[in-house]
Amino acid sequence: MARLLEGLNPQQRAAVEQTAGPVLVLAGAGTGKTRVITVRIAHLISKGVLPETILAMTFTNKAAGEMRERLGGLVGEDKANKVIASTFHSYCLRTLREYAHALGFPDGFTIADSADQLSILKLALRELHIAEARVKVPEIQSQISLAKNRQETPEQLLRKAGDARHELISEVYAKYQDVLRRSRRLDFDDLLTETLRLLRTHEGISNELRERHRYLLVDEYQDTNSVQFEIVRALCGPERNLCVVGDDDQSIYGWRGADVSKILGFERSFPGAKVIKLEENYRSTSQILNAANRVIRNNPRRHDKTLRSALGDGEPLMAVTMRDEAAEAEQIVAEIRRLVETDGHRWSDFAILFRTATQPRPFEAELRMKQVPYVLVGGMSFFDRKEVRDVLAYLRLVANPRDEASLLRVVNAPPRGVGKTTVDRVLEFATDHGISVTEAFDRAPEISKVNMKAVDAVLDLRARLAAVKKLHPKGNELVALCRRVVQEVNYEDEVKRLYPEEADFDKRWAAVEEVFNFAENYCRKRRRPGLLGFLNELSLTATESDSAEDAERRQAVTLMTLHASKGLEYPRVYLVGLEEGVLPHQRAAIEGSVEEERRLAYVGITRAQRALTLSWCSERARGGQRVQRHPSRFLLEVQAKQPPEGWVPAGEGDLAAGKARKKARSRRGRARQQRR
């Protein structure tokens, strides 16, 4: 036991040894959070706690994998593998698989990832006869996800609708859920909401799970949303052996449902909780941490804490005013190139962080012109490639023949003579009769003027996929099944049709082969592999990007948004565009969420290990014109300066208009309620 605690500072040791009752560990950036979590679990096991009674939940597969790996080094792989270290979504999927019968779910339900959700939403819009051009589908997807994370049903969303746009969203939400249900699919948010429903409506199952998970640990607790919080509370047994680790100063995902009040109010939710602060930082120099502290202390709602560096003073911060975005890119890229060529730095030592999606464009142009290798994090994922999505759609149809979105995706890939007119008539029939698309194809003779030759092609495709499933019923035949499906549907012809050049074909076909490699790896890791488990694991994996690791492997400069940078660190960081209206963002200033923008600036600053440069432009292109800019309030806070004369804060002038619009929407909403 003494060996486990060696090298921990007093606060870290307290977090490890406080094993009974509710505990909140406030782990500031770079304070050794992962080490504390893994040593705490190892300490519990050394005290005789059975590893299988420990449930540790986090937010990414990468974090869960790192937790398991480190734990294996502390207690051995056998014990480490018995601990349930999982993402929230993976845990919920496992629980729903085990208790599907209690909720009336079919055994063969599959998971819709983000791209699938967009396809299903488009299908819902078609059934509602709403043209895609009228709406922004990704925005509706985001609003529906936010509603689910707030535990709002379509009916509740409709009741609080303030205008026609919100009424439309609630209508699409209801139809979207209908399409999911008849396709036997759940989206990521359903994994959480349905698990919570299971815990709330089946007391026997709740008690069984509480008994199973005697010790709960939640990483990145500041990122929990309302549903995740309720799941944790429902799983917490009478002994309340719950330890949550997080940092309210790094809560930056409010736009997708994360609720900072959960970590701020932990002591109210779990009376008698012990609070332990980790404030000694092992990542950054004092110069960097002093800047971070000066910014974040201006947020009124936070746990009071101050980061201290274990590394000493370090290089002074650089704060630079640029003429415009072109000069900003030119000077920063020139400096990076000089440091690599003369000071022995590597390209991967550098990260350029920005607030908005348009900011990297001048940097990309300059990096290419100066022949500097770079990776833009958030580019197209492997799982977003057409050929990968097509193959996975075919496999989903094997696992779940009622999957409408997958059928419509590949119904004519490769071409089978199934045209848009046929699909539209089948969809219209399905909508009019309240049935699924697959059922509509089965009842095709009832559809007026439908092309029966095209229908026969669809029925033949479904029959062939069903036959493949019968040929390979065993889970350990997964790779053979995947290859057989691709062969059976002549998918190679589709790739050759789209990419006739040999080099292009080889590159695209390699992605198809990579799906087979994923299947092989999955079979090696699982005692009871199966197609359904493989598809669901891929859906959960596909949400994470590995572009940051790509930059390290390829020796390249990293370009990324501040949101994507959380959890990462780089020797030299450039935080660019520190202007009012950019950071803090104009919309955030209007909507009153500047506190989260300040946390975003704090996250960006604390990514830097040795050197940090903060830059802003005195003018920037906007709508084809040059617009004067003003330094960000966060930059002024770092420098301990008052705003200069003529300084204009973001949102000024827009704020009153925004409040007026909100008030008008509320008035219209009340009038509609009265009419009903």
Side-chain angles (χ1 to χ4, degrees):
M1 190 183 296
R3 181 183 61 83
L4 282 174
L5 302 177
E6 281 177 9
L8 297 178
N9 66 39
Q11 291 74 33
Q12 290 174 330
R13 184 164 182 155
V16 166
E17 293 184 312
Q18 181 67 44
T19 57
V23 181
L24 168 61
V25 180
L26 292 168
T31 56
K33 168 178 71 78
T34 306
R35 185 182 182 195
V36 166
I37 290 169
T38 50
V39 172
R40 190 176 199 277
I41 295 171
H43 180 61
L44 283 168
I45 294 170
S46 74
K47 289 176 63 180
V49 173
L50 294 174
E52 55 269 32
T53 65
I54 301 170
L55 170 61
M57 289 197 283
T58 186
F59 283 82
T60 67
N61 290 309
K62 180 185 172 186
E66 186 179 351
M67 198 185 294
R68 282 191 293 267
E69 188 177 335
R70 289 203 191 188
L71 197 53
L74 293 172
V75 300
E77 284 193 20
D78 184 50
K79 288 180 180 176
N81 288 336
K82 290 178 181 176
V83 173
I84 302 174
S86 166
T87 66
F88 267 97
H89 290 90
S90 293
Y91 172 77
C92 290
L93 174 60
R94 180 190 308 194
T95 304
L96 292 175
R97 284 266 173 248
E98 184 176 354
Y99 298 106
H101 62 280
L103 293 174
F105 288 166
D107 291 334
F109 72 83
T110 51
I111 308 303
D113 65 22
S114 295
D116 295 328
Q117 289 167 37
L118 284 174
S119 298
I120 294 166
L121 269 173
K122 289 175 183 178
L123 185 57
L125 288 169
R126 289 174 78 171
E127 292 194 15
L128 291 169
H129 304 293
I130 297 170
E132 280 183 45
R134 270 185 61 196
V135 297
K136 294 178 180 176
V137 180
E139 189 177 302
I140 291 182
Q141 179 188 19
S142 174
Q143 290 296 316
I144 291 173
S145 176
L146 198 58
K148 289 186 179 186
N149 289 329
R150 291 172 174 166
Q151 303 181 59
E152 293 176 340
T153 65
E155 294 74 26
Q156 289 169 324
L157 200 62
L158 179 62
R159 281 198 293 272
K160 64 178 259 188
D163 54 26
R165 176 178 162 274
H166 287 90
E167 287 181 357
L168 183 141
I169 289 171
S170 64
E171 185 182 9
V172 176
Y173 179 9
K175 177 58 72 174
Y176 168 76
Q177 286 300 103
D178 183 45
V179 177
L180 277 174
R181 272 193 300 271
R182 72 184 190 223
S183 299
R184 295 185 181 179
R185 301 190 78 170
L186 298 177
D187 67 17
F188 288 137
D189 299 310
D190 292 331
L191 293 177
L192 302 175
T193 57
E194 292 299 329
T195 299
L196 180 57
R197 183 162 73 92
L198 176 77
L199 293 168
R200 283 176 167 172
T201 57
H202 293 78
E203 189 176 348
I205 293 173
S206 296
N207 291 335
E208 190 178 320
L209 290 171
R210 288 188 200 106
E211 185 64 28
R212 185 184 301 176
H213 309 309
R214 304 297 295 275
Y215 289 84
L216 268 66
L217 191 147
V218 182
D219 186 18
E220 303 287 5
Y221 187 69
Q222 77 280 349
D223 293 338
T224 52
N225 60 36
S226 169
V227 183
Q228 289 159 334
F229 168 77
E230 293 296 346
I231 288 171
V232 169
R233 189 150 68 171
L235 288 173
C236 192
E239 295 167 330
R240 301 193 307 157
N241 291 328
L242 168 66
C243 174
V244 303
V245 183
D247 181 9
D248 51 295
D249 290 336
Q250 296 185 72
S251 181
I252 59 173
Y253 298 119
W255 50 277
R256 68 184 190 199
D259 186 353
V260 70
S261 70
K262 301 307 178 194
I263 191 168
L264 293 175
F266 185 81
E267 295 163 272
R268 288 193 301 275
S269 301
F270 299 94
K274 176 84 172 174
V275 179
I276 300 165
K277 298 177 184 179
L278 306 184
E279 297 173 294
E280 190 164 2
N281 176 287
Y282 299 92
R283 174 192 297 159
S284 308
T285 64
S286 291
Q287 292 275 351
I288 293 164
L289 296 185
N290 289 342
N293 289 329
R294 281 196 291 269
V295 168
I296 201 63
R297 71 187 179 199
N298 290 290
N299 266 0
R301 295 187 311 140
R302 62 184 291 264
H303 288 287
D304 183 39
K305 51 195 174 300
T306 303
L307 291 180
R308 301 180 302 273
S309 176
L311 304 179
D313 199 40
E315 296 181 30
L317 260 63
M318 296 295 292
V320 188
T321 306
M322 305 289 190
R323 183 183 69 254
D324 56 24
E325 65 270 34
E328 186 178 47
E330 184 181 336
Q331 290 186 43
I332 287 172
V333 171
E335 180 173 300
I336 290 172
R337 191 169 187 87
R338 177 180 61 77
L339 289 169
V340 169
E341 291 174 349
T342 62
D343 285 18
H345 289 285
R346 302 176 305 163
W347 298 119
S348 59
D349 289 345
F350 300 89
I352 301 171
L353 308 182
F354 44 86
R355 173 64 177 88
T356 67
T358 58
Q359 284 175 268
R361 290 172 190 166
F363 287 96
E364 285 197 84
E366 189 67 24
L367 288 161
R368 286 177 180 175
M369 191 166 70
K370 294 293 194 297
Q371 297 183 314
V372 174
Y374 72 92
V375 166
L376 176 62
V377 173
M380 179 179 281
S381 160
F382 168 80
F383 295 97
D384 287 333
R385 297 179 186 181
K386 178 190 184 303
E387 54 276 12
V388 174
R389 298 215 68 84
D390 284 353
V391 170
L392 293 179
Y394 277 118
L395 293 174
R396 286 195 185 99
L397 281 173
V398 174
N400 178 8
R402 292 177 58 180
D403 188 336
E404 298 180 30
S406 292
L407 176 64
L408 293 174
R409 177 181 181 88
V410 297
V411 72
N412 219 31
R416 298 184 178 87
V418 185
K420 183 177 181 299
T421 302
T422 299
V423 170
D424 286 345
R425 283 176 179 160
V426 171
L427 277 170
E428 187 175 359
F429 182 85
T431 304
D432 291 344
H433 290 78
I435 59 175
S436 69
V437 171
T438 49
E439 289 175 286
F441 272 111
D442 290 334
R443 292 173 56 178
E446 302 174 42
I447 303 174
S448 174
K449 296 181 182 178
V450 75
N451 182 343
M452 287 306 297
K453 189 175 179 182
V455 170
D456 288 341
V458 175
L459 297 179
D460 176 64
L461 170 64
R462 288 167 54 196
R464 288 159 73 182
L465 293 176
V468 172
K469 188 175 184 179
K470 286 180 182 176
L471 277 172
H472 299 280
K474 297 178 183 175
N476 59 8
E477 297 176 351
L478 180 60
V479 179
L481 182 148
C482 293
R483 289 189 180 277
R484 184 59 183 262
V485 166
V486 169
Q487 182 183 4
E488 192 68 34
V489 302
N490 300 317
Y491 192 70
E492 189 172 350
D493 292 348
E494 171 76 345
V495 182
K496 283 178 178 174
R497 179 180 72 86
L498 295 172
Y499 308 100
E501 294 294 328
E502 186 176 354
D504 291 339
F505 169 81
D506 289 344
K507 184 179 177 182
R508 296 289 176 163
W509 192 252
V512 176
E513 293 283 349
E514 192 61 25
V515 175
F516 304 151
N517 294 338
F518 274 114
E520 194 273 333
N521 284 324
Y522 170 80
C523 289
R524 278 194 298 108
K525 291 188 297 182
R526 296 291 180 270
R527 275 179 286 186
R528 291 191 296 171
L531 176 59
L532 206 57
F534 169 62
L535 290 171
N536 287 333
E537 182 167 298
L538 277 190
S539 290
L540 294 172
T541 303
T543 62
E544 295 180 22
S545 167
D546 61 355
S547 297
E549 287 80 358
D550 285 348
E552 177 71 30
R553 285 194 298 268
R554 286 174 44 188
Q555 276 304 303
V557 174
T558 300
L559 293 176
M560 62 165 51
T561 65
L562 288 164
H563 284 102
S565 74
K566 188 165 154 304
L568 303 175
E569 56 189 42
Y570 298 90
R572 308 187 78 86
V573 167
Y574 296 87
L575 179 47
V576 302
L578 271 166
E579 301 146 30
E580 289 292 305
V582 178
L583 183 68
H585 195 276
Q586 187 82 350
R587 185 177 61 249
I590 292 169
E591 294 175 354
S593 52
V594 169
E595 282 187 41
E596 182 156 316
E597 295 288 297
R598 185 174 279 107
R599 294 194 289 267
L600 205 50
Y602 172 85
V603 165
I605 291 168
T606 54
R607 298 314 93 196
Q609 295 171 296
R610 300 289 179 270
L612 173 66
T613 297
L614 309 171
S615 72
W616 73 283
C617 299
S618 56
E619 63 178 43
R620 188 178 289 271
R622 185 177 178 184
Q625 296 180 335
R626 307 308 298 177
V627 178
Q628 184 183 356
R629 311 300 300 174
H630 300 272
S632 168
R633 66 194 74 186
F634 308 143
L635 180 60
L636 298 173
E637 289 167 2
V638 165
Q639 299 172 311
K641 289 183 177 179
Q642 291 298 313
E645 189 177 344
W647 182 79
V648 180
E652 190 171 278
D654 295 321
L655 192 57
K659 285 181 177 177
R661 285 194 298 271
K662 189 174 181 181
K663 196 171 181 180
R665 282 199 302 269
S666 176
R667 202 162 46 239
R668 288 195 298 271
R670 285 196 301 271
R672 269 193 296 272
Q673 291 291 341
Q674 288 168 359
R675 286 197 297 272
R676 289 189 186 117

